[in-house]
Amino acid sequence: MELIDRRPNPHGKNTENRQRVLTRARQAIQDAVRNAAAQGRIREIGKDSAVSIPADVLHEPSFHRQITAGRRHFVLPGNREFVKGDRLRRPPGGAGEGSGEGNSASEEGGGQDSYRFVLSRDEFLDLFFDDLELPDLVKREIAATTSRATSRAGLTSDGSPSQIDLGRTMRRSMGRRIGLKRPKPAELIAIEEEIDGLEACRPLSDRQFLRLQTLREARDHLRQRLARIPWVDPVDLRFRRFTPVPKPTTQAVIFCVMDVSGSMTEKMKELGKQFFLLLHVFLEKRYEKLEIVFIRHAETAEEVDEDKFFTDTRTGGTVVSTALELMHGIQAERFPADRWNIYVAQISDGDNIASDMTRVNRLMVEQILPVVQYFAYVEVSIGGSVLRGETDLWKGYKSLADATPHLAMRRIEDRREIFPVFRELFARKAQERAGG
Amino acid sequence: MLYTGTDWTFATLRDCYGEIDRIASEELRLDTYPNRIELITSEQMLDVYTSHGMPISYPHWSAGKRFVSHENAYRKGLMGLAYEVVINSSPCISYLMEENTATMQALVIAHAAFGHNHFFKNNRLFREWTDATQILDYLEFARGYVARCEERYGVRAVERVLDAAHALQNQGVDRHTGSKRLDLRQEQERARERRAYEDEQFNDLWRTLPDEKTADLRKGEDADPSTGQGLPEENILYFLEKNAPRLANWEREIIRIVRLIAQYFYPQPQAKLMNEGCATWVHNRIMHRLHEKGLIDDAAIMETIHSTTNVITQRGFEEGGGPNFNPYALGFAMMTDIARVCTEPTEEDRLWFPGHAGNDDPIGTLHHAWSEYRDESFVQQFLSPKVIRDFRLFRIEDDLSQPFLLVDAIHDEQGYREIRRSVSASYDPGLQSEEIEIVGVDLTGDRILRLEHRTRPGQLLHPTDARLTLDHLSALWGYGVIIKEVDASTGAELGSYAKA
């Protein structure tokens, strides 16, 4: 009998198969992920991410019968009161026992409604944001503070013990031992045994005595050599070498501009915040090297931190140009256009003081649009938008958007629209996808 | 005393094994493959479930799907894990869960490493259909082959063939023409030759004339079915492997792998009742003998009785038991009953079982039953009126044209034989599986593959699944496929599906 302890064996034998399920059911899982995200709060995206996918995606078909008519016999245990000739009502639940075989067959086939998958946050977000990206991210300049990654680079003769390359070390050690004719321990043992044997029998004949002498000399010689030529010598040691390699990264900054003026109702602000949260999660997940600047404005604009941006409330009148000016100021000061990819996402209800529009237009045309890669304007309008028609800001931007394709405009009226609009704005371009 | 309390060590397991082995070979005269016992964690047990107990399996998404559903069920507490899983191989591998108590380890060693092991080695069905000494090597080969194909032809391409072959794996066995015990070692040799041939094919750019050797090989590969020889053929996978016109050699080999593994699993469900009955009876007997010999204490025997009782409980029909019986319950009851009939027969037993009633050789009689029967014939031969009474069996006639069910036999003089016949029939693989055959193909004409499902009205194929499976079949065949459903008794056509 062999008794083997398999418990320390590597775990996760089925990780690869699980991954294959994800690949196979990618579309379905993606839909499930997006549904889950739409139902939950966006801030909690990916935290408790169990999704159910319909079983038919993973259905394994086979030829099997379905029993719909005919006469069958089956035997059941546990009779207490029935005698031959009793008639029983068919158990409830449609065919019930009647199509027992059919049921079990379809259970094998696809009776189960759905599979529940627990995804890691990374897997979840990957699927959630799959095929989205920041448009036209060009490598303007490799950042001065390039990040470094380590990569394998051959071998070295010194290093930390954890990086020792045992195979090569032992190979070299063996080569050296053979080359230097290090005696084998077995030889020494054989000689020692013979000496012991001779020493045990007394008196010794001359021949034996001579033999003993030679043996003793040989033994000393062997011991000396054994001690002099070590099993593993420092010269044998080989370590895996790692070398840091500069990793080029592109720098990007995204300005989140939100109108918090009095005309924005709480609900509109909520929509706006949801949109930015989504943007935030997306950017955090996809781009390591990315600055985010939060700007909110009423009649004046200010730069705030993330927490304040998403939680603090403030109201006032509306002067959009202040926000644009501030944005442009920050950009000029901290993010020079020749070295940074610049993106802007602006959310507003479209209200602006009429006198401010010319200023907004001039700022956009002269200062902002020339330097930014992409400007996404999202207008929130809850009810009444039909009555009001196009807002001041919408009209103003519209005239610009026709000439500049990298100014994109969308409207959101309801929570449900956030994600579709978001996807439209950040969908990977078709030709890019085709090009790889 | 082998151990006290619940904790076990590897030394305990060895001691237990030694004593169990002594009882098994000296008293029960069990004849087993060499044993290999492996200790695993619950997570590893889930892996074992996923691969149907096979220690090695090729990667495929269906395994991931099984794993996820098992994992979910286990996490939610819907499913407990088995104490052990045992594999029909030589050496016979038993997986033991680390959570088991010392008593449970002893019990499952007796159950799996001796009970099941003896059954695997001696039952005719397993002897004829499977080759326990080579299966492990073959699985290793299969995994390696699939992996190499994935490297060379891409995961998608391999998956396509595997999906299709899996859909047809129930049609991958020669049920009617009888079993062919596979020589799996020869299988690997064959694959090697085939691969060498492929490698040569790969160099076609440099070699314009086929040399004699490859020409011969090619002749061997393309057996000509155009004359309709060998039809009808129930083994669809075999037919595709040999005759599908458009498959590459590696695709044929993958179909073959699926087919051979399906064949390996083929006997298992046909002897499940007996297999579990045998193993449970053996472990019960051995544990009691250990107790009688003073090797385990009273607490241990109580735990054994408790756990065995749990396993052999048959729920009544009102509690969801039946029409599929708990194989442990019915199996154990029948084995115990056979032993009883041998030693303490009643008048009734002498009437029903003149062959072995009172022969005073329970071990010999059981050995005979274990080796020569499968579930269907075993029930037909050995289900006694006493067991029918104990289980309070009754038979129901279910006529779907009637609004009610009719009780047409109960556990009385008139009913015993009726009930026994029906229970036996419920284990008949011939009645459980679909009778589907390839009946014709015109290789020189439209190349449409024609199949026939011989059945009865009201027992047609599940339509959605039939269409999907047909898609897979046609993907392998490369041309159109038609399946007709015909009434086996009248020959009338009941339905058909076609895939152009």
Side-chain angles (χ1 to χ4, degrees):
Chain A
M1 192 252 317
E2 290 174 273
L3 190 57
I4 299 172
D5 189 359
R6 289 279 180 216
R7 291 170 295 175
N9 275 21
H11 289 219
K13 211 172 164 185
N14 270 297
T15 317
E16 191 194 343
N17 288 328
R18 186 175 171 282
Q19 210 56 49
R20 288 185 182 211
V21 176
L22 288 183
T23 318
R24 183 173 180 93
R26 194 176 180 85
Q27 194 53 51
I29 293 177
Q30 209 158 41
D31 293 345
V33 157
R34 285 173 185 160
N35 278 338
Q39 280 158 20
R41 285 179 56 79
I42 289 178
R43 198 183 270 279
E44 267 97 53
I45 279 176
K47 271 188 188 154
D48 174 28
S49 30
V51 295
S52 292
I53 58 165
D56 55 354
V57 182
L58 297 174
H59 180 50
E60 292 171 274
S62 68
F63 287 131
H64 57 85
R65 279 172 300 180
Q66 207 182 17
I67 297 188
T68 50
R71 210 164 56 103
R72 301 189 307 143
H73 284 113
F74 52 90
V75 175
L76 295 172
N79 180 16
R80 276 190 306 223
E81 56 195 35
F82 304 135
V83 293
K84 188 171 170 181
D86 279 358
R87 291 177 174 191
L88 314 178
R89 260 195 303 158
R90 221 174 268 283
E97 302 279 15
S99 62
E101 203 172 309
N103 274 349
S104 67
S106 74
E107 246 161 49
E108 280 162 20
Q112 211 176 343
D113 291 335
S114 59
Y115 288 95
R116 195 163 161 277
F117 266 87
V118 180
L119 301 169
S120 70
R121 188 180 150 88
D122 270 355
E123 281 173 335
F124 191 95
L125 292 179
D126 256 342
L127 288 162
F128 188 63
F129 291 125
D130 184 47
D131 70 21
L132 297 186
E133 65 172 14
L134 285 178
D136 305 322
L137 189 69
V138 287
K139 283 174 189 151
R140 288 239 165 141
E141 188 174 311
I142 292 172
T145 53
T146 346
S147 65
R148 284 169 179 275
T150 47
S151 111
R152 280 288 299 274
L155 298 162
T156 165
S157 54
D158 65 341
S160 87
S162 65
Q163 295 305 335
I164 198 162
D165 186 329
L166 216 53
R168 281 173 200 275
T169 301
M170 292 320 288
R171 209 183 307 156
R172 290 180 60 87
S173 141
M174 188 193 279
R176 182 181 48 79
R177 292 192 314 264
I178 293 170
L180 295 179
K181 297 203 173 62
R182 185 182 200 262
K184 296 208 169 56
E187 287 174 41
L188 183 63
I189 290 167
I191 288 175
E192 276 172 343
E193 269 168 11
E194 204 177 339
I195 291 175
D196 287 347
L198 285 171
E199 278 173 345
C201 65
R202 280 168 200 281
L204 291 168
S205 68
D206 283 355
R207 255 210 14 246
Q208 280 174 324
F209 184 73
L210 269 173
R211 175 78 183 142
L212 188 59
Q213 286 299 78
T214 357
L215 280 177
R216 279 182 176 155
E217 272 171 35
R219 178 187 64 185
D220 293 343
H221 181 67
L222 282 183
R223 278 187 179 161
Q224 237 177 8
R225 282 194 74 77
L226 268 176
R228 212 174 283 154
I229 307 168
W231 180 258
V232 176
D233 194 86
V235 302
D236 302 332
L237 295 180
R238 282 299 173 271
F239 299 84
R240 289 187 285 269
R241 198 165 84 97
F242 290 87
T243 178
V245 186
K247 213 171 91 187
T249 46
T250 49
Q251 300 188 113
V253 59
I254 186 148
F255 291 92
C256 299
V257 181
M258 183 157 73
D259 181 357
V260 292
S261 66
S263 61
M264 291 275 285
T265 62
E266 272 312 306
K267 196 156 178 229
M268 289 164 135
K269 282 182 196 164
E270 194 52 39
L271 273 182
K273 283 173 188 172
Q274 296 277 349
F275 182 86
F276 279 126
L277 268 172
L278 192 59
L279 182 63
H280 194 185
V281 175
F282 166 61
L283 295 174
E284 253 185 353
K285 166 78 190 145
R286 272 301 156 80
Y287 300 94
E288 274 173 54
K289 192 98 183 93
L290 182 99
E291 299 281 336
I292 305 177
V293 177
F294 296 101
I295 295 173
R296 61 175 189 182
H297 73 92
E299 70 273 317
T300 57
E302 59 183 333
E303 187 187 355
V304 290
D305 61 18
E306 192 186 328
D307 264 358
K308 236 178 179 172
F309 187 78
F310 286 118
T311 54
D312 202 32
T313 52
R314 178 176 174 261
T315 54
T318 320
V319 186
V320 175
S321 62
T322 57
L324 296 180
E325 259 165 20
L326 179 66
M327 184 239 122
H328 183 245
I330 295 172
Q331 182 265 315
E333 185 188 333
R334 305 211 301 252
F335 307 103
D338 55 342
R339 290 166 60 179
W340 287 81
N341 293 291
I342 296 160
Y343 298 89
V344 184
Q346 184 186 13
I347 287 196
S348 165
D349 60 353
D351 273 356
N352 197 13
I353 296 172
S355 59
D356 190 42
M357 274 320 290
T358 45
R359 196 168 156 68
V360 167
N361 265 341
R362 210 180 62 239
L363 265 170
M364 287 291 280
V365 174
E366 289 172 10
Q367 315 273 7
I368 296 175
L369 287 178
V371 299
V372 301
Q373 230 80 28
Y374 191 57
F375 192 112
Y377 171 65
V378 177
E379 190 165 296
V380 287
S381 49
I382 297 175
S385 58
V386 186
L387 294 178
R388 286 190 304 171
E390 289 187 341
T391 60
D392 302 330
L393 209 52
W394 185 271
K395 265 186 277 185
Y397 281 176
K398 185 104 173 100
S399 55
L400 300 176
D402 294 338
T404 38
H406 61 282
L407 170 60
M409 307 169 59
R410 291 288 185 283
R411 268 210 189 89
I412 301 182
E413 290 188 21
D414 190 86
R415 240 180 87 87
R416 283 195 313 266
E417 295 174 7
I418 293 180
F419 192 63
V421 165
F422 185 83
R423 289 185 57 74
E424 267 173 52
L425 287 174
F426 293 98
R428 196 168 291 159
K429 297 277 192 310
Q431 74 268 25
E432 278 174 1
R433 214 177 305 163
Chain B
M1 199 69 68
L2 288 165
Y3 60 87
T4 51
T6 57
D7 293 343
W8 53 267
T9 61
F10 281 81
T12 325
L13 293 187
R14 278 181 202 286
D15 294 348
C16 288
Y17 182 90
E19 290 301 330
I20 292 170
D21 192 11
R22 184 167 308 153
I23 295 172
S25 52
E26 287 172 9
E27 298 179 16
L28 302 182
R29 305 198 302 274
L30 296 186
D31 167 30
T32 55
Y33 292 122
N35 269 305
R36 186 199 289 171
I37 292 173
E38 306 195 353
L39 270 300
I40 59 173
T41 62
S42 51
E43 187 201 335
Q44 287 167 324
M45 185 55 102
L46 282 172
D47 287 338
V48 169
Y49 272 40
T50 302
S51 51
H52 299 303
M54 290 288 110
I56 303 155
S57 53
Y58 51 79
H60 187 253
W61 61 267
S62 62
K65 170 182 137 182
R66 280 198 300 277
F67 181 73
V68 167
S69 56
H70 284 145
E71 196 186 26
N72 285 340
Y74 178 62
R75 286 230 172 110
K76 282 192 205 154
L78 295 178
M79 176 182 92
L81 292 177
Y83 298 116
E84 46 75 32
V85 165
V86 59
I87 293 173
N88 168 25
S89 63
S90 177
C92 175
I93 303 178
S94 317
Y95 295 107
L96 268 51
M97 288 264 279
E98 63 170 348
E99 284 94 338
N100 296 347
T101 60
T103 303
M104 285 312 294
Q105 300 292 30
L107 188 153
V108 298
I109 289 174
H111 182 92
F114 292 92
H116 283 308
N117 190 345
H118 172 86
F119 195 83
F120 287 141
K121 187 169 177 191
N122 292 279
N123 185 266
R124 178 179 287 273
L125 209 53
F126 286 94
R127 282 202 320 256
E128 283 180 358
W129 284 87
T130 66
D131 183 349
T133 54
Q134 286 165 24
I135 184 66
L136 295 178
D137 285 345
Y138 186 70
L139 290 171
E140 181 72 58
F141 154 77
R143 176 170 68 177
Y145 191 88
V146 172
R148 276 194 304 277
C149 287
E150 286 185 343
E151 248 170 55
R152 191 182 259 190
Y153 308 103
V155 175
R156 264 307 294 154
V158 175
E159 188 178 287
R160 204 184 60 93
V161 182
L162 280 176
D163 286 355
H166 283 181
L168 295 164
Q169 63 186 344
N170 292 335
Q171 278 76 41
V173 179
D174 303 306
R175 289 189 183 88
H176 297 118
T177 51
S179 61
K180 298 172 201 153
R181 183 169 150 134
L182 302 165
D183 187 347
L184 293 175
R185 193 164 297 141
Q186 206 181 323
E187 284 297 319
Q188 295 175 51
E189 285 302 321
R190 242 181 40 80
R192 216 160 284 144
E193 280 168 24
R194 192 172 256 184
R195 206 158 54 240
Y197 168 65
E198 273 175 38
D199 285 343
E200 282 169 33
Q201 290 298 95
F202 207 63
N203 294 334
D204 255 347
L205 274 179
W206 292 275
R207 187 170 42 73
T208 47
L209 287 171
D211 59 35
E212 279 168 36
K213 199 172 129 233
T214 54
D216 279 353
L217 262 170
R218 188 171 297 166
K219 226 180 282 163
E221 294 292 340
D222 292 343
D224 182 24
S226 54
T227 50
Q229 273 173 343
L231 292 178
E233 170 66 66
E234 58 169 335
N235 192 336
I236 298 179
L237 284 182
Y238 176 80
F239 183 87
L240 288 173
E241 179 200 326
K242 292 297 173 206
N243 299 317
R246 284 187 174 173
L247 291 182
N249 279 329
W250 65 269
E251 292 173 309
R252 293 178 205 277
E253 192 64 41
I254 284 182
I255 293 174
R256 193 178 180 90
I257 286 172
V258 172
R259 180 168 73 83
L260 297 189
I261 292 178
Q263 169 160 349
Y264 177 80
F265 281 112
Y266 177 65
Q268 307 231 358
Q270 294 184 43
K272 188 164 171 55
L273 173 78
M274 293 188 72
N275 202 344
E276 296 302 352
C278 163
T280 311
W281 188 85
V282 165
H283 91 233
N284 193 51
R285 178 66 171 261
I286 289 179
M287 293 306 280
H288 278 95
R289 285 296 298 141
L290 286 176
H291 185 237
E292 284 162 23
K293 283 174 147 188
L295 293 166
I296 55 174
D297 57 19
D298 291 349
I301 197 69
M302 291 309 285
E303 190 185 344
T304 306
I305 293 169
H306 175 76
S307 136
T308 309
T309 311
N310 279 345
V311 168
I312 62 167
T313 302
Q314 173 66 55
R315 290 183 297 169
F317 74 100
E318 288 155 317
E319 303 145 339
N324 301 316
F325 290 94
N326 172 358
Y328 295 87
L330 189 57
F332 179 72
M334 288 182 69
M335 299 305 166
T336 316
D337 191 61
I338 289 171
R340 182 192 61 80
V341 169
C342 291
T343 51
E344 303 155 9
T346 62
E347 273 314 302
E348 184 187 49
D349 296 326
R350 289 189 193 280
L351 205 64
W352 280 69
F353 304 108
H356 63 275
N359 69 359
D360 224 15
D361 180 19
I363 304 289
T365 311
L366 283 172
H367 273 275
H368 169 72
W370 292 338
S371 66
E372 299 303 326
Y373 292 84
R374 59 177 179 172
D375 288 351
E376 179 215 1
S377 51
F378 176 69
V379 168
Q380 186 61 39
Q381 186 71 27
F382 291 102
L383 185 64
S384 71
K386 179 167 190 309
V387 174
I388 295 178
R389 283 194 300 272
D390 289 348
F391 276 72
R392 309 188 77 83
L393 300 181
F394 65 110
R395 191 173 77 172
I396 280 187
E397 185 185 278
D398 176 13
D399 187 340
L400 286 170
S401 62
Q402 300 291 330
F404 53 82
L405 305 171
L406 179 72
V407 176
D408 77 341
I410 64 164
H411 53 282
D412 59 10
E413 285 303 327
Q414 301 94 51
Y416 293 141
R417 286 186 197 278
E418 296 290 317
I419 287 177
R420 182 158 83 173
R421 192 175 309 133
S422 288
V423 175
S424 164
S426 75
Y427 289 104
D428 183 355
L431 298 179
Q432 302 302 323
S433 56
E434 296 69 27
E435 213 179 306
I436 295 175
E437 285 176 341
I438 294 172
V439 292
V441 57
D442 177 7
L443 272 187
T444 48
D446 55 10
R447 292 190 164 178
I448 286 176
L449 191 64
R450 288 163 215 285
L451 287 87
E452 214 171 77
H453 174 218
R454 295 165 66 76
T455 181
R456 278 186 288 167
Q459 303 200 357
L460 300 182
L461 293 176
H462 186 284
T464 338
D465 260 30
R467 264 185 220 105
L468 291 170
T469 312
L470 212 58
D471 288 350
H472 280 311
L473 176 53
S474 121
L476 290 182
W477 175 245
Y479 297 92
V481 182
I482 293 174
I483 183 165
K484 276 192 185 136
E485 303 201 68
V486 297
D487 190 324
S489 48
T490 65
E493 186 176 328
L494 302 170
S496 78
Y497 301 93
K499 166 82 183 170

